[in-house]
Amino acid sequence: EIVLTQSPGTLSLSPGERATLSCRASQSVSSGFLAWYQLKPGQTPRLLIYGASSRATGVPDRFSGSGSGTDFTLTISRLEPADFAVYYCQQYSSSVRTFGQGTKVEIK
Amino acid sequence: QLQLQESGPGLVKPSETLSLTCSVSGGSPSPNSHHWGWVRQPPGKGLEWIGTLYHSGNTNYNPSLKSRVTISGETSKTRFSLKLTSVTAADTAVYYCARHGCVNGVCYTWYFDLWGRGTLVTVSS
């Protein structure tokens, strides 16, 4: 099973700032088979990024994903109020799909 | 617009069976293409993939739950269900149903591109 470790656990930032979220895998995630999701209380989880760097339909271009192998990053270039949420990475390189433990982006 | 909605008891007694249904509505669920799954989130913890129902009817389960899980679906592909037997307090979680995404018209069991809002199931006597 591939274990995903996200850091930091919590990111305290102000609107307009840049957010950089990390997802590190315990073994190589082949072909960039990594996705990012946004979760907000009471709302449906939202797919942001798949294939490590491809934005899902309707996702603003301030969200970008990068990385390969064992190190992946989600960047939010300029935080908007709607972006304060919890973000999870998920790998689909192995037959057992696993998620990271999440990074909370909170308003400073 | 396609929507997923989980339904089922919010409280289950220890050692009993948790049963949830996911209803697909609001559009064509592409019955011959998409695959469907269940994910859960225990309170204060991260997400855990439970299993996947292929459009063929085959399944793939998380090994940690495999002995207790059954995911099945109706042939119309407008509903699919989750059963988890012999539950304990550790199975208390928000349970989500979700749809696996497609790339260039080919559907895989990779990431989830559409989710339900989730339903909290508490295991307690």
Side-chain angles (χ1 to χ4, degrees):
Chain A
E1 178 177 311
I2 297 178
V3 176
L4 299 179
T5 301
Q6 291 187 242
S7 61
T10 301
L11 202 50
S12 298
L13 295 168
S14 300
E17 290 193 294
R18 181 185 188 91
T20 303
L21 288 66
S22 173
C23 176
R24 179 162 291 179
S26 61
Q27 56 188 278
S28 183
V29 175
S30 61
S31 304
F33 282 171
L34 189 112
W36 289 92
Y37 302 90
Q38 177 191 68
L39 269 72
K40 295 181 182 180
Q43 296 188 19
T44 61
R46 180 189 186 190
L47 172 69
L48 299 174
I49 301 287
Y50 63 93
S53 61
S54 296
R55 268 189 300 276
T57 302
V59 175
D61 61 7
R62 64 180 182 273
F63 291 91
S64 63
S66 63
S68 64
T70 60
D71 289 294
F72 297 87
T73 300
L74 174 70
T75 301
I76 311 171
S77 59
R78 295 172 309 279
L79 282 165
E80 295 195 1
D83 301 336
F84 291 92
V86 182
Y87 294 84
Y88 292 89
C89 56
Q90 178 231 327
Q91 65 78 24
Y92 42 99
S93 175
S94 78
S95 61
V96 180
R97 310 316 190 200
T98 54
F99 293 85
Q101 83 279 17
T103 290
K104 181 179 182 180
V105 179
E106 64 176 22
I107 300 177
K108 186 175 181 180
Chain B
Q1 185 174 351
L2 203 66
Q3 292 184 332
L4 307 183
Q5 176 70 57
E6 305 87 353
S7 60
L11 181 64
V12 181
K13 290 182 168 55
S15 80
E16 296 190 343
T17 297
L18 179 159
S19 295
L20 295 175
T21 296
C22 181
S23 299
V24 182
S25 63
S28 170
S30 300
N32 296 321
S33 299
H34 284 285
H35 313 291
W36 308 85
W38 289 93
V39 176
R40 71 180 183 178
Q41 183 174 30
K45 296 187 178 181
L47 299 167
E48 179 181 33
W49 170 70
I50 298 171
T52 289
L53 173 67
Y54 290 78
H55 66 75
S56 65
N58 292 335
T59 54
N60 182 30
Y61 300 133
N62 190 320
S64 68
L65 299 168
K66 187 174 183 177
S67 64
R68 300 192 291 131
V69 171
T70 301
I71 297 175
S72 59
E74 296 185 343
T75 54
S76 65
K77 300 297 192 296
T78 57
R79 284 201 309 183
F80 60 103
S81 66
L82 168 70
K83 291 188 187 301
L84 182 65
T85 62
S86 304
V87 297
T88 69
D91 294 309
T92 293
V94 174
Y95 285 77
Y96 296 96
C97 61
R99 184 184 74 177
H100 283 284
C102 304
V103 179
N104 296 326
V106 180
C107 296
Y108 302 94
T109 60
W110 293 350
Y111 51 84
F112 295 99
D113 69 346
L114 186 66
W115 297 64
R117 288 184 179 272
T119 186
L120 174 62
V121 178
T122 301
V123 178
S124 175
S125 55

